[in-house]
Amino acid sequence: MLRRRLNRLLGGDERRVDSRTIYVGHRSCSATEAFIPPKFCDNRIVSSKYTVWNFLPKNLFEQFRRIANFYFLIIFLVQVIVDTPTSPVTSGLPLFFVITVTAIKQGYEDWLRHKADNEVNKYLVTVLEDGGRIQKESEKIKVGDVVEVEEDETFPCDLILLQSSRDDDTCFVTTASLDGESNHKTHYTVPDTEKDLESLNATIECEQPQPDLYKFVGRMHIYKNDQEPTVRSLGPENLLLKGATLKNTQKICGVAVYTGMETKMALNYQGKSQKRSAVEKSINAFLLVYLCILVSKALVCTTLKYVWQSKPGQDEPWYNEKTQREKETNLYLKMFTDFLSFMVLFNFIIPVSMYVTVEMQKFLGSFFITWDKDFFDPEIKEGALVNTSDLNEELGQVEYVFTDKTGTLTQNNMEFIECCIDGFQYKYRDASSELDGFCVTDGPVSKLQQKAGREKEELFLRALCLCHTVQVKESAEQGQGQRDGLIDEVDGLGVDGEVVHPLQEQRGFIASSPDEVALVKGAMRYGFTFLGLESKTMKILNRNNDVEMYELLHVLNFDPVRRRMSVIVRSKSGDTLLFCKGADSSIFPRVRREEVERIRMHVERNATEGYRTLCVAYKILSAEEYAQADAGLREARLALQDREEKLMTVYNQVETGMSLIGATAVEDRLQEEAAETMEALQGAGMKVWVLTGDKMETAKSTCYACRLFQRNTELLELTVRTLEDGGRRREERLHDLLLEYHKKAVQDAPPVKAGVTRSWSSAGQDYGFIIDGATLSMVLNSSSESNSNRYKNLFLQICQNCTSVLCCRMAPLQKAQIVKMVKNSKGSPITLSIGDGANDVSMILEAHVGIGIKGKEGRQAVRNSDYAIPKLKHLKKLLLAHGHLYYVRIAHLVQYFFYKNLCFILPQFLYQFFCGYSQQPLYDAAYLTMYNICFTSMPILAYSLLEQHICMEVLLDNATLYREIAKNAMLRWGPFLYWTLLGVFHGLLFFFGVRFLFSNPALQDNGQVFGNWSYGTIVFTVLVFTVTLKLALDTRHWTWINHFVIWGSLAFYVFFSFFWGGIIWPFLRQQRLYFVFANMLSSVSAWLVIILLILLSLLPEILLVVFRKPRGPHARQMKHRLPSSGTSTIFMLSQTASTHSFSWSD
C-alpha cells in the first residue's frame, strides 16, 4: 500500500496512467528484445486494520477522538500535575477500564480478520511454469502467471480465461461471494489461443484496476512465427474474478491480470460509511448541558472561595498558616488551579462508563434479533442477520420506508402467463385442448378463433427460443447436480413437469434472470424447445420435431439504460436475423407505428393486471447492414477507452427499423403477508414509498394488491404521459401540474391531527402520488437553479401529504437521490430502505437504516445492509416489536445514567458550602472510583437488554403504539428536564436529610459523634440504594437476571464497604474508611435515616404510579402490558413470573 502511494507521489505512476501490459507466462514477445518484467503488487490480501506494531498507537488515537474519553484524559492529567483533592486513580481507573475493554474488543475483531486473510493467502494454487505444474501459496502469484483452477475451486486472483476443459471453450462460474448472485454465469476463452499454453506467445493490454465488477476493457496480441500479431478484444466475459467459483467445468487455465489488493474484489472491499443514530446525537447534546453545569459549579465554588477568604481571619487562620511558597504564588495562577481542582472534584457528573454500557447494550442486544425464531425461514434455512449493531434503536424511529418492488414486495418467481402475437391473444390452457397447445380467447370479434398466421407464430416462438442468454444443463450433469443439491437450490430453475417433449424431461436451465427461463419454458409449452448452445450454434426443436440450427453471431447484452437485449443469428438458409426483446418503452420507438397500436392494448391490459410485460421484435439484416454492424461491434469491443459508450452507439444503430411481432406476460407473485405488513407499517405512522424500475401499470397494480393504494385513493400522476397531455412545453406543464397537485393535497387538505393516518381518519380524501424516472430528473435537474429548488420543495410537500408514493422506471442512482432528498428535508426524518438486489445497494447505503432481503437476486443487498431478513413479512416484527423495545431501553439507559450521576455529585457540590470551599471530598476515593463501574452499572445493563414494558404480542397487534415513541419522544428536552429535576430533588434530599440527622450531637451509644467520612458514607449508602431501587420500580419485565443483578449489586456494595473498611491495607497512606461503615451501622439513628430517606425519595414515584389513572386508547390493554413469564420467543432465559412488577403507568 505504502509503496503504491509513494510511487504515486514521486511520479512513478506517470507511465501507468491508462493501461498496463502483461506478458503471458512472463515470456517476451520477440526473441531480440531483452525481457524486463514490469512491477505489479503481489497477491496478498490485507483486510485487517492493525498490525502488532501499530495496534497501540492507532487504537488509542481512534479512542481518544471520542469527546468523553479525551475529556477524562485531560482530567486525569490535571490530577497528576496539579495538587487536587482526589487521587488520579479515581478518574484514571474508570478511563483505563473503558479503553481496555474497547481495545480488547477491537483487537479480537482484527485478529479474526488476520486469521481470515492468512487462510486466503496461504491457500495452495497450481501454477504452470517451465512446462510443469507447481504448487504455490496464493500470496506468491504474480501478474502474468498462468494458473490452473479445478471445479468448485475459487479463483485466487483476477484471471483472463485462456483454456477450458469444455468442448465449447466456455466455463460456468458463480459469483455469490462478490455480488451475491447464485446463478451460473458463462465465460468464454479468448479465441485463437494455442491449445498448448507452453508455446503461447502473447501480451495483454488492459485498463488499470478499477472496482466495477461488470466492466473490463482490454485486448490481447497473439504472436505467431514472425506473422503480423492477431488482436483479440477482451471484455468482462473473458475475465474470471477473484472470489468467484468454477462450476460444471472440470478445469480451466487463465493468466493473472490483477492480483492482491488490485483485484476487483479487494477494490470493492470498503468500510461502509459510519452511520450514527439519533440517540448518539442526543447523548452529545445532553453531555454539553452537563459540561455547562460542571463548569458553572466549578466557577461558583471558585468565586465563593475567594469571597469567603477575603473576610479577615478566614484566609489564614491561626492554626493553618501559609508557607513562604504559598504566599509568593501568583493570585491568578492560584485561582486557575483552584478552578481546575473543583473541575476534578465534580467531574463525575460526566458519565464515562455510559459509552461502554451503551456499546455493550447495542452489541449484546443485537443477538436477540439473530436468535429470534420467528425470523427463521425454513426455505433458505437461515434467520435474520445483523451487520451493524449501532443502529438498533433507529428501528424504533422510522418515519419513511422506501421499498423495492421486484423480489421485495413480490417473490421474483416468474411464471409465463400468456402472449400476444400480431394482436391476437394466446392464453395457455391445457395442451390437449388443441393440437399445438394454442387457445385463442381474444382479438377482434370478426376474426373470432382466428390466429396470427402460422409463420408469425413460429417466428415469435423462435425469437423466444433464440433471444436470451440461457444455458441448458445436460441430463448427466443434471443428475450429478441433483446429487450435489445444486440444481434446485442454486438456480431454482429446474423444469416443473411442464415439458411438452419426452426428450426434454431431464432438462434444467441456467440463467442470469428468472424472466429469461420463464420465457424459454413458455415457448416449450407451445412446442418450441431450446436444446442449447454448442460452439456458437443454437439448436431448437420445432413443433414438427425437426432440429433447427442457427449460428450465433453477436449478443447485444441487456443493460438497464437501454432496457433491452438482442441477438444476431444466421439461419441455415443464410439469412441474418436480429431478434430483440425489451420493455415496451424501449421497443415501441424502434418499430413501425402501425404495428404498435395492435399490441399496445394487450401490453397495457397485462400491466394493469400486474404482469411483467416484454415486447419482441425482429429485423432481417442485409449483407451490407450486417457487415457494417459487425465491423462496428468488433471495433468498439477492441477500444480501451470509452468502450461502453462506443458499444451503446453501435447497439442503437443496429436496433432500429425493426418489426414488432408480439409481447409476453409473466407473473411475479406477491410475497406472503406483503399486504398485512404494509398496512401495519402505515398504521404505525410510517410513510411507504415504492421505488421500482418496473412499468407504471405493473407497479400500480402491485400497490393496489399490497393495499398501499385503496380503491378510494385519488392518484396524482406526474409522468411523461401526463406531461404530454396538455400539448404545451413539458417544463410549463410540469410547473402547472405541481401547483395543481400542491393545491389539492397540501393547501385544500384538512389539517391532519397528530398521530392519525388514513385508517382512522375518514373525513379527508386520501392521495397517492405516482412519478416516473424521466419526470423525476426534470424535477431534480431543472434548467434553472431557482426553478429546481422550487420544484423540489413542491414535490416534497405533495409527497409528504400523500399516504403512499410510487416511483416507477427508476435507475438505481435515482432511488438513492430520492432517499437523500427526503433524508435531508425539514425535520430530518429517519429513513429506512429495503431491497434485495444489487440495484438497491445505493439506496440501502443512503438511508439511515438499510435492510437487505435474502432473496433470489443474490446477496449484494444483504452484504451492504445494516440488517438482513429472509422475507418482507419479518419487517413488521423487526420494527414494531424489536425496534420499539430497543429504543425505549436505550432512551431509559441514557436518561438514567445522567440522573444517577447528578444524584452522585450534587451532595459533593453542596458539601463545599459547609467546608469553606476547601475542595474536601465528601466520598472516599474507592467509592468515587467504584460508583459507576461496579455499584450501579450492572442493573441498568440488564434492564436495557431485557426490559419489555409492553409485551411483544401487544406491540404487534397495535401498530399505533409505535407512534408514542416517534420523533425521539423519550430523549427530547422535556423528559431530560424531568430526569434532571428528579436528580436535583434526590441530591438535595440525600444531603440535607443526612445533615438534619447530624444536628443531633449524640448518635452513638457511647455519646461519640460521627465524623465527615461517616457523613459521606451515609449519603453514599442512601444514594446507591435509591438509584438502584428507582430502576427496580421502573422494571416491568422481571427475569432471574434482573433479580440477580439488582439485589446482587446492593449486596456487593454492603460486602465491599465492610471489607474495604475492615482491613488495614498496606498500600494506602491514609485509610479514611477504617471501620467507618461498621461503626455507622451500629447507630439506630443512622439506620432510621437511611430507610426514611430511601422511602421519601421514592415516595413521589410510587404515589404517581398508584394514583395516575390509565389514559389513552390503550388503557383497556393494561392487563396485557405485563408479559407473563417467557412469552417472547427471543428470551430463551428462564424467567420468573411477574410477581415483582409494579403497576404500570402509561
Side-chain angles (χ1 to χ4, degrees):
M1 269 321 242
L2 187 66
R3 190 175 66 205
R4 219 182 315 161
R5 281 186 191 143
L6 281 174
N7 263 348
R8 231 163 260 168
L9 285 172
L10 303 172
D13 246 28
E14 290 308 308
R15 56 187 184 77
R16 301 181 49 204
V17 176
D18 293 328
S19 62
R20 53 166 60 184
T21 304
I22 294 149
Y23 296 88
V24 177
H26 307 292
R27 282 185 287 278
S28 167
C29 33
S30 70
T32 51
E33 287 177 29
F35 174 61
I36 302 163
K39 277 207 170 74
F40 300 111
C41 77
D42 59 13
N43 197 34
R44 217 161 39 130
I45 283 289
V46 182
S47 65
S48 52
K49 211 159 132 186
Y50 307 109
T51 63
V52 177
W53 310 111
N54 74 8
F55 175 70
L56 262 179
K58 202 169 173 183
N59 187 269
L60 288 177
F61 172 70
E62 281 173 5
Q63 291 207 54
F64 284 119
R65 280 163 66 183
R66 267 207 157 145
I67 293 177
N69 290 351
F70 185 67
Y71 162 78
F72 265 86
L73 179 69
I74 297 294
I75 290 288
F76 173 66
L77 294 175
V78 167
Q79 281 179 298
V80 171
I81 298 161
V82 180
D83 179 24
T84 55
T86 54
S87 148
V89 174
T90 53
S91 58
L93 198 66
L95 180 67
F96 177 73
F97 173 74
V98 169
I99 296 290
T100 311
V101 168
T102 315
I104 289 171
K105 175 177 166 265
Q106 290 176 346
Y108 174 69
E109 284 171 357
D110 205 60
W111 177 73
L112 290 179
R113 284 195 283 267
H114 271 284
K115 210 169 138 191
D117 289 348
N118 265 341
E119 274 176 29
V120 174
N121 292 334
K122 301 293 179 199
Y123 183 76
L124 289 177
V125 180
T126 310
V127 179
L128 305 184
E129 251 180 43
D130 307 326
R133 286 178 169 71
I134 61 163
Q135 295 272 313
K136 254 189 188 181
E137 284 178 355
S138 170
E139 61 184 3
K140 293 185 177 153
I141 294 176
K142 294 190 192 70
V143 172
D145 279 348
V146 178
V147 179
E148 184 179 279
V149 179
E150 299 195 344
E151 186 168 4
D152 291 329
E153 284 187 346
T154 305
F155 302 117
C157 53
D158 291 354
L159 305 168
I160 290 291
L161 179 58
L162 298 177
Q163 205 179 63
S164 166
S165 61
R166 291 178 70 91
D167 303 336
D168 56 1
D169 286 338
T170 63
C171 75
F172 294 116
V173 164
T174 58
T175 53
S177 62
L178 292 167
D179 57 10
E181 296 185 10
S182 55
N183 40 41
H184 290 50
K185 295 186 174 65
T186 314
H187 288 257
Y188 301 91
T189 57
V190 183
D192 303 334
T193 48
E194 306 272 342
K195 280 290 166 229
D196 175 22
L197 293 179
E198 266 308 298
S199 54
L200 174 68
N201 208 348
T203 58
I204 292 173
E205 203 181 333
C206 61
E207 60 185 3
Q208 287 299 344
Q210 51 101 344
D212 191 329
L213 295 176
Y214 309 104
K215 271 196 185 140
F216 174 71
V217 181
R219 51 178 175 237
M220 186 165 175
H221 301 263
I222 302 169
Y223 300 91
K224 290 183 185 170
N225 317 330
D226 305 331
Q227 298 172 7
E228 196 59 31
T230 47
V231 183
R232 290 283 170 260
S233 78
L234 304 175
E237 68 280 358
N238 308 112
L239 183 70
L240 305 171
L241 300 178
K242 178 184 176 73
T245 309
L246 186 64
K247 293 282 180 192
N248 286 9
T249 314
Q250 280 175 352
K251 68 173 182 188
I252 60 105
C253 293
V255 59
V257 281
Y258 304 128
T259 49
M261 298 311 283
E262 294 183 336
T263 56
K264 288 187 182 286
M265 180 180 171
L267 293 173
N268 271 285
Y269 173 81
Q270 54 188 33
K272 293 208 286 283
S273 65
Q274 196 62 43
K275 293 184 180 180
R276 284 177 61 210
S277 73
V279 169
E280 216 169 304
K281 291 167 194 163
S282 299
I283 292 178
N284 288 346
F286 296 165
L287 268 179
L288 284 174
V289 172
Y290 270 63
L291 204 60
C292 294
I293 295 177
L294 170 66
V295 172
S296 53
K297 277 183 179 180
L299 278 172
V300 166
C301 285
T302 312
T303 313
L304 290 176
K305 175 172 183 169
Y306 283 90
V307 169
W308 187 73
Q309 286 184 356
S310 63
K311 291 178 186 165
Q314 300 283 32
D315 186 24
E316 197 178 356
W318 57 270
Y319 55 83
N320 190 10
E321 288 184 11
K322 286 185 179 177
T323 59
Q324 192 58 34
R325 190 174 160 204
E326 280 175 333
K327 284 177 182 168
E328 287 167 4
T329 312
N330 180 312
L331 178 69
Y332 293 108
L333 182 66
K334 189 147 175 29
M335 277 181 157
F336 181 64
T337 54
D338 274 335
F339 172 72
L340 285 181
S341 296
F342 279 119
M343 285 285 284
V344 167
L345 189 62
F346 301 144
N347 85 79
F348 289 92
I349 197 168
I350 306 286
V352 66
S353 60
M354 180 170 73
Y355 277 106
V356 175
T357 314
V358 167
E359 290 265 316
M360 286 171 73
Q361 191 269 350
K362 288 180 173 184
F363 174 67
L364 297 171
S366 60
F367 284 112
F368 289 141
I369 293 179
T370 322
W371 290 337
D372 193 332
K373 291 173 184 163
D374 291 348
F375 291 157
F376 184 77
D377 184 46
E379 264 180 59
I380 58 170
K381 296 197 170 34
E382 283 182 47
L385 178 73
V386 178
N387 293 330
T388 315
S389 59
D390 288 349
L391 302 170
N392 296 339
E393 63 278 7
E394 294 285 84
L395 294 171
Q397 293 293 300
V398 176
E399 290 171 63
Y400 282 85
V401 175
F402 299 93
T403 166
D404 175 40
K405 184 184 83 74
T406 311
T408 306
L409 292 174
T410 62
Q411 292 178 8
N412 201 9
N413 199 356
M414 308 298 173
E415 193 185 336
F416 186 88
I417 298 295
E418 62 176 65
C419 57
C420 150
I421 304 174
D422 204 20
F424 296 90
Q425 185 191 18
Y426 290 75
K427 221 183 174 81
Y428 179 74
R429 292 243 181 101
D430 186 9
S432 58
S433 66
E434 235 179 283
L435 182 67
D436 53 16
F438 276 88
C439 183
V440 186
T441 58
D442 200 348
V445 182
S446 59
K447 297 182 178 175
L448 195 63
Q449 290 302 322
Q450 280 191 13
K451 301 180 190 167
R454 188 166 177 104
E455 267 183 36
K456 270 274 165 70
E457 278 178 14
E458 296 200 342
L459 184 65
F460 177 79
L461 293 170
R462 276 190 194 102
L464 290 192
C465 279
L466 294 170
C467 188
H468 56 70
T469 54
V470 174
Q471 297 282 336
V472 174
K473 262 191 176 177
E474 290 81 1
S475 51
E477 280 186 344
Q478 193 199 349
Q480 177 198 344
Q482 271 172 332
R483 276 203 305 281
D484 298 348
L486 282 173
I487 176 135
D488 288 325
E489 283 119 46
V490 177
D491 309 306
L493 306 172
V495 180
D496 332 331
E498 321 164 327
V499 192
V500 177
H501 201 274
L503 279 177
Q504 273 70 53
E505 273 175 22
Q506 284 303 306
R507 196 160 293 284
F509 294 113
I510 301 167
S512 52
S513 116
D515 294 52
E516 296 219 300
V517 179
L519 296 179
V520 172
K521 287 185 186 176
M524 258 168 107
R525 290 171 166 180
Y526 298 143
F528 268 70
T529 307
F530 173 59
L531 297 179
L533 171 74
E534 277 176 32
S535 55
K536 296 281 176 194
T537 305
M538 298 180 91
K539 294 182 185 172
I540 297 176
L541 189 71
N542 65 17
R543 290 179 188 166
N544 309 327
N545 282 348
D546 298 332
V547 176
E548 300 179 11
M549 293 181 147
Y550 293 86
E551 185 190 350
L552 178 63
L553 301 170
H554 287 285
V555 177
L556 282 54
N557 288 325
F558 175 84
D559 66 70
V561 183
R562 271 171 51 242
R563 301 185 62 94
R564 58 182 183 272
M565 71 151 297
S566 306
V567 293
I568 301 177
V569 294
R570 186 173 287 138
S571 66
K572 269 289 181 53
S573 55
D575 294 334
T576 308
L577 300 162
L578 170 106
F579 289 110
C580 179
K581 71 165 190 262
D584 50 34
S585 57
S586 70
I587 298 272
F588 285 169
R590 302 185 161 267
V591 297
R592 301 194 192 97
R593 289 293 292 274
E594 64 273 11
E595 296 170 333
V596 171
E597 290 316 310
R598 279 184 299 200
I599 284 175
R600 186 191 295 261
M601 178 182 78
H602 292 274
V603 171
E604 285 179 1
R605 183 177 52 75
N606 285 335
T608 319
E609 289 167 6
Y611 300 140
R612 288 164 73 92
T613 56
L614 283 176
C615 294
V616 181
Y618 87 110
K619 173 184 180 181
I620 297 176
L621 297 173
S622 65
E624 297 80 53
E625 281 178 315
Y626 173 67
Q628 190 186 347
D630 184 53
L633 286 167
R634 285 179 193 282
E635 187 188 334
R637 282 186 181 137
L638 282 175
L640 278 182
Q641 259 85 41
D642 306 327
R643 182 184 288 187
E644 301 292 317
E645 290 75 9
K646 288 176 183 166
L647 278 173
M648 197 71 79
T649 314
V650 182
Y651 289 169
N652 288 334
Q653 281 166 5
V654 181
E655 294 167 333
T656 48
M658 301 184 286
S659 304
L660 190 60
I661 331 171
T664 61
V666 172
E667 184 182 26
D668 188 2
R669 293 208 177 93
L670 274 190
Q671 286 262 14
E672 55 183 305
E673 293 179 39
E676 290 84 345
T677 306
M678 291 297 120
E679 215 164 26
L681 297 186
Q682 287 193 317
M686 291 175 235
K687 297 256 170 76
V688 182
W689 292 33
V690 179
L691 312 181
T692 174
D694 225 333
K695 268 186 297 305
M696 186 185 92
E697 288 75 14
T698 316
K700 199 155 91 180
S701 64
T702 305
C703 286
Y704 275 117
C706 287
R707 302 183 206 152
L708 290 173
F709 295 160
Q710 305 282 17
R711 289 293 157 214
N712 63 345
T713 307
E714 186 180 334
L715 297 180
L716 311 176
E717 210 179 291
L718 196 64
T719 57
V720 175
R721 193 170 70 189
T722 53
L723 290 187
E724 284 171 350
D725 281 353
R728 294 208 309 281
R729 272 184 58 237
R730 275 187 177 187
E731 186 101 2
E732 291 171 17
R733 177 84 177 133
L734 174 70
H735 184 235
D736 294 352
L737 274 176
L738 278 171
L739 286 175
E740 181 194 324
Y741 292 160
H742 187 267
K743 189 174 182 316
K744 244 191 210 177
V746 184
Q747 292 162 4
D748 299 351
V752 180
K753 288 195 199 79
V756 178
T757 56
R758 63 139 185 252
S759 321
W760 290 265
S761 61
S762 50
Q765 168 68 47
D766 280 340
Y767 292 104
F769 191 72
I770 301 177
I771 187 168
D772 62 7
T775 320
L776 183 76
S777 34
M778 284 173 69
V779 171
L780 296 180
N781 315 318
S782 175
S783 44
S784 70
E785 187 64 34
S786 57
N787 266 5
S788 181
N789 283 337
R790 184 148 178 258
Y791 289 167
K792 222 188 260 187
N793 289 335
L794 284 172
F795 169 66
L796 254 176
Q797 284 176 21
I798 297 167
C799 288
Q800 286 166 341
N801 275 41
C802 291
T803 48
S804 292
V805 178
L806 165 62
C807 308
C808 41
R809 295 287 196 220
M810 288 281 141
L813 210 61
Q814 283 182 311
K815 291 182 177 185
Q817 276 178 326
I818 284 199
V819 176
K820 189 173 184 179
M821 183 172 71
V822 174
K823 186 169 119 177
N824 297 336
S825 67
K826 191 178 160 201
S828 310
I830 302 288
T831 56
L832 175 145
S833 292
I834 178 166
D836 71 320
N839 58 337
D840 304 316
V841 168
S842 50
M843 75 168 181
I844 284 174
L845 290 175
E846 185 60 58
H848 292 99
V849 184
I851 295 191
I853 285 189
K854 302 177 173 187
K856 288 208 169 64
E857 282 192 34
R859 290 292 163 96
Q860 201 164 344
V862 170
R863 282 173 56 236
N864 285 286
S865 65
D866 303 308
Y867 301 89
I869 48 179
K871 292 234 166 76
L872 177 78
K873 64 175 180 181
H874 298 136
L875 184 64
K876 178 179 169 184
K877 185 171 185 187
L878 187 67
L879 299 184
L880 301 191
H882 287 285
H884 187 119
L885 292 175
Y886 280 131
Y887 175 73
V888 170
R889 289 166 185 164
I890 201 154
H892 200 287
L893 176 135
V894 170
Q895 299 279 31
Y896 177 79
F897 247 99
F898 282 110
Y899 149 79
K900 76 183 177 78
N901 279 40
L902 185 59
C903 292
F904 179 42
I905 283 305
L906 189 62
Q908 173 73 72
F909 171 66
L910 296 169
Y911 187 54
Q912 296 308 304
F913 291 85
F914 297 90
C915 67
Y917 313 101
S918 60
Q919 297 141 17
Q920 167 66 30
L922 178 64
Y923 313 117
D924 182 64
Y927 285 162
L928 284 172
T929 310
M930 307 276 282
Y931 177 71
N932 273 324
I933 299 182
C934 301
F935 300 148
T936 58
S937 59
M938 289 312 287
I940 184 62
L941 180 62
Y943 174 93
S944 65
L945 287 171
L946 306 173
E947 174 62 0
Q948 291 184 55
H949 63 300
I950 306 176
C951 72
M952 286 212 171
E953 289 76 8
V954 176
L955 286 173
L956 286 172
D957 292 342
N958 297 288
T960 45
L961 291 170
Y962 190 85
R963 292 187 213 167
E964 294 180 2
I965 57 160
K967 297 191 188 297
N968 208 4
M970 292 177 66
L971 286 175
R972 290 251 184 86
W973 292 107
F976 176 68
L977 196 64
Y978 163 75
W979 280 94
T980 306
L981 291 175
L982 186 69
V984 170
F985 165 66
H986 283 176
L988 290 167
L989 194 64
F990 301 159
F991 184 80
F992 289 108
V994 178
R995 190 164 181 277
F996 178 69
L997 163 76
F998 271 60
S999 59
N1000 172 4
L1003 288 174
Q1004 287 175 280
D1005 310 350
N1006 56 10
Q1008 283 183 351
V1009 289
F1010 277 162
N1012 65 325
W1013 294 115
S1014 300
Y1015 188 100
T1017 306
I1018 296 176
V1019 172
F1020 193 77
T1021 307
V1022 176
L1023 163 77
V1024 170
F1025 273 80
T1026 304
V1027 295
T1028 307
L1029 291 174
K1030 160 84 178 94
L1031 190 66
L1033 267 180
D1034 289 342
T1035 304
R1036 303 271 161 270
H1037 183 65
W1038 285 85
T1039 67
W1040 65 266
I1041 295 181
N1042 294 81
H1043 283 291
F1044 178 73
V1045 295
I1046 284 181
W1047 314 122
S1049 289
L1050 295 177
F1052 175 70
Y1053 164 67
V1054 174
F1055 168 76
F1056 176 81
S1057 300
F1058 274 119
F1059 183 66
W1060 183 244
I1063 297 174
I1064 295 178
W1065 299 99
F1067 56 81
L1068 291 178
R1069 268 186 312 193
Q1070 70 267 22
Q1071 197 156 339
R1072 297 153 169 176
L1073 280 200
Y1074 186 64
F1075 261 88
V1076 166
F1077 194 74
N1079 202 18
M1080 175 191 92
L1081 291 185
S1082 67
S1083 161
V1084 181
S1085 318
W1087 274 94
L1088 182 68
V1089 161
I1090 289 171
I1091 293 167
L1092 262 178
L1093 286 180
I1094 293 171
L1095 283 175
L1096 272 175
S1097 306
L1098 298 175
L1099 191 65
E1101 287 277 308
I1102 297 168
L1103 290 177
L1104 207 65
V1105 167
V1106 173
F1107 291 118
R1108 181 149 52 160
K1109 285 271 191 301
R1111 58 182 174 75
H1114 318 299
R1116 56 194 160 71
Q1117 288 151 4
M1118 223 40 101
K1119 58 180 187 299
H1120 296 303
R1121 292 206 161 189
L1122 297 175
S1124 61
S1125 165
T1127 46
S1128 164
T1129 50
I1130 65 169
F1131 294 126
M1132 295 174 277
L1133 307 159
S1134 62
Q1135 298 174 353
T1136 56
S1138 315
T1139 46
H1140 303 276
S1141 311
F1142 294 81
S1143 58
W1144 159 253
S1145 68
D1146 195 11

